[in-house]
Amino acid sequence: MQFRAVKGMNDILPDEVGRWQHLEHCFRRTAELYGFREIRTPLLEQTELFVRSIGETTDVVEKEMYTFQRSQESLTLRPEGTASAARAYVEHSIHAQEPVSRWYYLGPMFRAERPQRGRYRQFYQAGCEVFGDPGPAADAEIIDMLYRLFQELGIGGLQVAVNSIGGPETRERYRNALLAHLRPKAAELSEHAQSRLEANPLRILDSKDARDQAACAGAPSLLDQLSDTDRAHWQSLRGALDALGTPYQVEAGLVRGLDYYTRTLFEIRSTEGQLGAQNTLAGGGRYDGMVKGLGGPDVPAIGFAMGLERILLAMTRPDAPPLPFCFLAPIGAAALHSALVLAREIRQLGCRAEVDGRGGSIKSMLRRADSSGARLCLVLGESELARGVVQLKDLSQRSQHELPREDAARFVVEQLRAVDPNAEARSAVAGSDA
Ligand code: HAM
């Protein structure tokens, strides 16, 4: 039997990992510049956490969670990171330790969706959450931060969509207005939307079914129903985005698929790269009621998450060239030991080195050195060992000279840095950005 990865879950092979590390590094650096600190939460949570926060009648909770029973407990592989962050915030009484918390996270999420390009069952998100800041300046700042990050990553065709769905009072008023619009058309809705109509009419606005979209055409706009305080928040958000020079479009129909949102909602999409229908790179919004809903204090919050696979599909800039490195070719057992020590010295000075421990003739070693992509090759033979020297070959210039053994590591590192001045710095983030 030939095993294969689970449908919708992908291996990321070493050849591709450099691009991931580059993206992760850029995300972390940006997040830290904005004062976010990393949090790591478990992949598993009690199912009820997601039901309570994301909402019982959302696609994620109704259809997409990986849930199983273990010792009387229902557990779910996290479909997103916000609920876990809020749970940790409440569990550790973080509000009592600091007035504002800015957290970021990075890791796999799980949703049993129908796989297609840009949509997977295990996918990676990088996200940020701010607890304790009611906005709207914080809202504008994280939208702008995302936009600038995507620009820095070289992603073209960016579109920023923003909307406000108001607070609970506005939502209740809007719910009634939407129900008044949809009830007379109930028979024309998809079966799924019909079943959600009374419980959660807002979700119907999000439906991809053509029947639901037709029924929603001409529905009242949420923005028209905003209370005075919601409207003031919305207008200040727009003012701050204008001040930051972040281009955006107001998308009155944007409701997003999770029930926890209040007021600000946003998505960033790209119309370029290899993205198909799944072109939403990141989405987020305010969720002022979640912390309280999970048994914590009344603390406002806002955040976003971005899908790393989609961002990589949208990034068209060529990858950074691989780090130049040195290949060590020892001939014989004694030379192998010397090569192991010398390679460690090169690495301690911050450059990449690889020892060929497979043995063989000098000819076969040099052939392997060439095909390894190394820039330099150090040959250590019996006679070199006896004389306390090594042979250094520059594989791209086809030149060779002899070096004292004790100078070899320093000399190699100097040569590699001359080829790529960032060789050492880049190795610190495992071959990521230049
Ligand atoms: P979301 O819109 O469900 O929001 O997901 C955010 C991003 O994750 C999407 O824009 C997309 O790039 C990526 N994504 C979602 N599902 C998949 C999938 N099946 N395959 C590949 N990528 C996917 C959230 O998850 C919220 N927690 C965001 C948030 C944080 N709101 C407030 N704070």
Side-chain angles (χ1 to χ4, degrees):
M1 174 177 175
Q2 170 104 48
F3 289 109
R4 303 184 68 87
V6 173
K7 186 173 170 202
M9 305 197 179
N10 301 305
D11 298 312
I12 303 162
L13 297 173
D15 270 354
E16 305 159 58
V17 160
R19 301 185 73 223
W20 284 78
Q21 287 173 331
H22 170 61
L23 171 57
E24 289 162 7
H25 171 71
C26 292
F27 168 72
R28 281 178 198 281
R29 198 190 48 211
T30 300
E32 285 179 14
L33 286 173
Y34 279 79
F36 289 89
R37 293 186 307 144
E38 184 173 355
I39 175 163
R40 300 184 185 192
T41 60
L43 299 192
L44 281 177
E45 297 277 358
Q46 288 173 314
T47 304
E48 195 53 25
L49 170 68
F50 300 118
V51 177
R52 286 257 295 277
S53 52
I54 296 173
E56 214 159 345
T57 45
T58 55
D59 283 353
V60 171
V61 169
E62 275 183 354
K63 303 187 268 192
E64 297 169 1
M65 296 205 301
Y66 284 94
T67 296
F68 61 94
Q69 205 70 22
R70 184 95 203 170
S71 316
Q72 317 288 327
E73 213 176 10
S74 178
L75 300 176
T76 294
L77 276 170
R78 62 181 187 190
E80 56 113 51
T82 309
S84 306
R87 193 261 314 134
Y89 182 85
V90 173
E91 184 172 339
H92 302 283
S93 303
I94 304 294
H95 72 281
Q97 300 162 37
E98 54 188 25
V100 176
S101 302
R102 293 167 164 258
W103 290 353
Y104 75 84
Y105 51 86
L106 219 157
M109 308 291 162
F110 303 84
R111 295 184 194 175
E113 296 195 74
R114 197 166 43 79
Q116 65 180 86
R117 175 181 286 276
R119 190 167 68 196
Y120 311 99
R121 292 183 169 176
Q122 174 174 328
F123 58 98
Y124 285 78
Q125 275 189 349
C128 287
E129 313 291 351
V130 182
F131 295 98
D133 189 327
D139 309 22
E141 211 175 27
I142 64 169
I143 295 171
D144 186 59
M145 160 182 154
L146 257 178
Y147 179 73
R148 306 291 156 188
L149 172 64
F150 291 153
Q151 276 194 322
E152 180 195 329
L153 292 168
I155 301 176
L158 289 172
Q159 293 175 342
V160 181
V162 291
N163 192 23
S164 173
I165 55 168
E169 180 203 324
T170 292
R171 286 265 282 289
E172 192 48 34
R173 194 152 4 100
Y174 182 66
R175 204 186 109 86
N176 293 332
L178 186 60
L179 274 175
H181 174 85
L182 288 176
R183 271 197 195 116
K185 301 168 192 265
E188 298 152 37
L189 293 171
S190 69
E191 299 70 40
H192 192 222
Q194 286 185 24
S195 70
R196 278 177 171 180
L197 180 61
E198 297 299 325
N200 200 347
L202 229 75
R203 289 278 71 84
I204 300 173
L205 292 174
D206 218 18
S207 167
K208 301 285 174 287
D209 190 298
R211 289 168 291 176
D212 301 337
Q213 289 180 347
C216 288
S221 161
L222 246 165
L223 285 174
D224 294 337
Q225 312 277 329
L226 293 183
S227 68
D228 290 347
T229 47
D230 289 338
R231 183 173 307 286
H233 189 279
W234 169 238
Q235 278 165 352
S236 305
L237 163 67
R238 297 190 58 177
L241 285 174
D242 291 338
L244 285 163
T246 322
Y248 66 90
Q249 293 137 18
V250 174
E251 217 173 85
L254 180 70
V255 286
R256 299 196 20 81
L258 311 163
D259 275 355
Y260 50 63
Y261 290 118
T262 52
R263 293 188 166 167
T264 310
L265 283 184
F266 56 93
E267 284 186 354
I268 301 195
R269 308 179 191 118
S270 167
T271 53
E272 288 178 13
Q274 303 166 52
L275 289 164
Q278 305 301 323
N279 70 345
T280 305
L281 300 175
R286 190 159 273 291
Y287 49 99
D288 291 341
M290 192 192 292
V291 171
K292 190 158 187 227
L294 295 177
D298 195 1
V299 168
I302 181 162
F304 68 81
M306 56 197 217
L308 300 192
E309 290 85 351
R310 292 189 192 176
I311 294 166
L312 289 167
L313 285 169
M315 279 168 65
T316 48
R317 195 186 277 166
D319 301 345
L323 281 178
F325 71 99
C326 180
F327 187 96
L328 286 89
I331 318 290
L336 175 58
H337 291 167
S338 177
L340 292 174
V341 175
L342 182 49
R344 190 178 58 199
E345 289 171 17
I346 295 170
R347 295 176 194 129
Q348 278 167 342
L349 292 174
C351 282
R352 176 177 157 194
E354 284 180 21
V355 180
D356 188 343
R358 288 169 288 181
S361 67
I362 173 90
K363 207 166 146 214
S364 58
M365 289 254 185
L366 288 177
R367 207 176 314 118
R368 289 183 212 144
D370 266 329
S371 59
S372 75
R375 172 73 189 215
L376 301 175
C377 176
L378 278 171
V379 180
L380 296 91
E382 306 274 305
S383 78
E384 281 87 2
L385 214 56
R387 288 188 293 124
V389 296
V390 293
Q391 300 290 338
L392 179 66
K393 283 181 176 292
D394 187 313
L395 295 170
S396 70
Q397 312 218 325
R398 301 270 142 213
S399 58
Q400 173 170 344
H401 68 279
E402 202 169 88
L403 282 174
R405 161 68 184 82
E406 67 264 28
D407 296 342
R410 194 181 41 77
F411 191 83
V412 162
V413 168
E414 273 168 17
Q415 295 284 298
L416 292 175
R417 280 197 197 127
V419 178
D420 179 350
N422 294 314
E424 190 184 3
R426 289 206 291 123
S427 65
V429 286
S432 63
D433 63 330

